[in-house]
Amino acid sequence: MPGAWLLNSQEGNFTLPSHCSPDVSVPINLLEAYGVYSRTVDPATLHERHPSDDEGRTRAQRLAWNLGYQGQEEVTLTADSQEELREHLNLDEQMRIVESGVLYIDFRDAEERWIRVEAKSGDLVVLPRGLYHRLVPAADSSPVKLLRLFRKSAVFQPIPRNGELSVEAAAEARAAHEDHKFYVSHPPTETILGPANTEDNVLVKSPRDFDATLDKVRAQLTPGDILVLLFKGASDRRTHQSWCPPCATAEPIVRRAVEAAKQKRRVVYVQCNVERSVYLGNPDYAYRKHPLLNIASIPFFLVLEQREKEVFELCRESDPGEGYNSWVEKI
């Protein structure tokens, strides 16, 4: 997992690590608040044929296909790679996979301070639409071999922050940057039931928070209480629509079932949001390997009943359907 820190902007040579003194590390949840997500892949097998792909795609091509990405290209970055070294934004979500070397990914926070992400071989980093950033090969590992993936573009078309732009390009850049600022300033605070709280309508934004949140929720349960968990694709922060169509189908079904169950018992609802860019095509995604869950797909719906000495499973469903409602009759 990439490390991150505040960049010492007084350092003249940005191909060096450029830590502040004292060092100021940046936690992963802050990176994700800016839409910068990461995961790891095996760089040695990226260009090998995927064993379960009937179309003969490589692992890299299969990853792009799973994510719905339109283009990819393999590049080598050096200290002379000005198109990535200059601060710029992209008009679509993109990914960078480091195949060899060490790459610094710098972007500005809300206070215009530079945050530096250090990506090493096997690190995959998601760069959201509209985020101004730059890519700097580390001094002791240049050149850096890199795979660029584009969600909507066929080729790499950066828009520099400072430079002469056409009227159309300037307008596109402003719109993309405004979209990103909206994303940062509107973090998720609601579930499908309304404003989240810590008692009976709980929102889990990241798998990292799941176990601790579940422990707190379970500690408050008494015999007869019902615990409802829904794992769903995160919603767009403007439209409030999930990126996952089956999840959107499941939402009103779950909402009605929970409301009906509340007429009978105390119900605690826990919603776990799943980010598209780090879930799709990722067999190591945390919820897939969690011993309680072993999720194969989303939406994933789990209903538990707290009894005197144990927790009893009432429902475990993936595809939205009758099972999302039938558990209510059992309580």
Side-chain angles (χ1 to χ4, degrees), residues 89 91 129 159 167-177:
L89 61 72
L91 296 179
R129 161 181 159 86
I159 299 183
V167 173
E168 180 181 4
E172 289 179 325
R174 282 195 301 272
H177 190 49

Side-chain angles (χ1 to χ4, degrees), residues 40-303:
T40 57
V41 298
D42 182 357
T45 62
L46 272 176
H47 302 290
E48 294 179 0
R49 178 173 176 172
H50 193 285
S52 60
D53 192 285
D54 295 335
E55 302 295 325
R57 300 181 184 93
T58 65
R59 291 181 184 273
Q61 292 168 338
R62 173 82 174 202
L63 173 63
W65 176 77
N66 275 324
L67 289 162
Y69 273 41
Q70 301 301 311
Q72 62 177 282
E73 59 187 15
E74 195 170 356
V75 296
T76 299
L77 296 187
T78 69
D80 298 321
S81 302
Q82 290 300 312
E83 60 180 9
E84 287 276 29
L85 281 168
R86 286 196 303 173
E87 188 177 6
H88 63 280
L89 61 72
N90 304 315
L91 296 179
D92 61 348
E93 176 188 278
Q94 299 189 6
M95 288 183 176
R96 301 292 181 266
I97 302 176
V98 179
E99 296 191 57
S100 64
V102 177
L103 180 70
Y104 297 135
I105 301 173
D106 300 338
F107 68 92
R108 297 181 191 270
D109 68 7
E111 300 175 27
E112 289 293 306
R113 299 175 301 179
W114 282 104
I115 292 177
R116 167 156 285 185
V117 180
E118 182 184 51
K120 299 180 180 180
S121 179
D123 285 333
L124 179 159
V125 179
V126 180
L127 300 171
R129 161 181 159 86
L131 172 70
Y132 277 109
H133 64 281
R134 67 186 180 195
L135 273 59
V136 182
D140 58 356
S141 70
S142 183
V144 175
K145 190 176 180 181
L146 191 69
L147 187 63
R148 296 194 288 219
L149 292 90
F150 318 114
R151 186 174 181 188
K152 295 182 178 180
S153 307
V155 295
F156 183 51
Q157 296 177 315
I159 299 183
R161 184 165 193 166
N162 298 309
E164 293 187 7
L165 300 175
S166 67
V167 173
E168 180 181 4
E172 289 179 325
R174 282 195 301 272
H177 190 49
E178 287 301 317
D179 281 348
H180 184 258
K181 289 197 294 184
F182 185 91
Y183 175 94
V184 173
S185 61
H186 291 76
T189 58
E190 296 188 356
T191 75
I192 62 171
L193 301 184
N197 58 49
T198 58
E199 298 175 358
D200 61 0
N201 185 29
V202 181
L203 177 63
V204 179
K205 300 177 185 179
S206 166
R208 290 187 308 279
D209 304 325
F210 177 72
D211 285 330
T213 302
L214 189 62
D215 287 345
K216 290 179 182 178
V217 168
R218 281 179 163 177
Q220 299 174 14
L221 296 178
T222 58
D225 288 349
I226 303 297
L227 176 59
V228 175
L229 299 101
L230 175 65
F231 298 79
K232 63 175 288 290
S235 296
D236 183 274
R237 298 187 185 183
R238 284 191 186 274
T239 67
H240 306 293
Q241 294 295 309
S242 172
W243 60 263
C244 164
C247 298
T249 300
E251 289 175 11
I253 302 173
V254 172
R255 190 183 301 115
R256 288 192 297 268
V258 170
E259 290 172 353
K262 284 184 175 182
Q263 303 302 313
K264 301 180 177 184
R265 302 277 190 88
R266 177 175 179 264
V267 178
V268 177
Y269 174 74
V270 178
Q271 179 175 303
C272 303
N273 287 349
V274 175
E275 292 292 338
R276 179 188 58 81
S277 59
V278 286
Y279 167 76
L280 291 176
N282 184 3
D284 296 321
Y285 188 71
Y287 289 147
R288 296 188 194 274
K289 293 194 167 185
H290 195 285
L292 173 66
L293 308 172
N294 293 315
I295 290 177
S297 61
I298 57 172
F300 179 75
F301 187 57
L302 181 64
V303 182

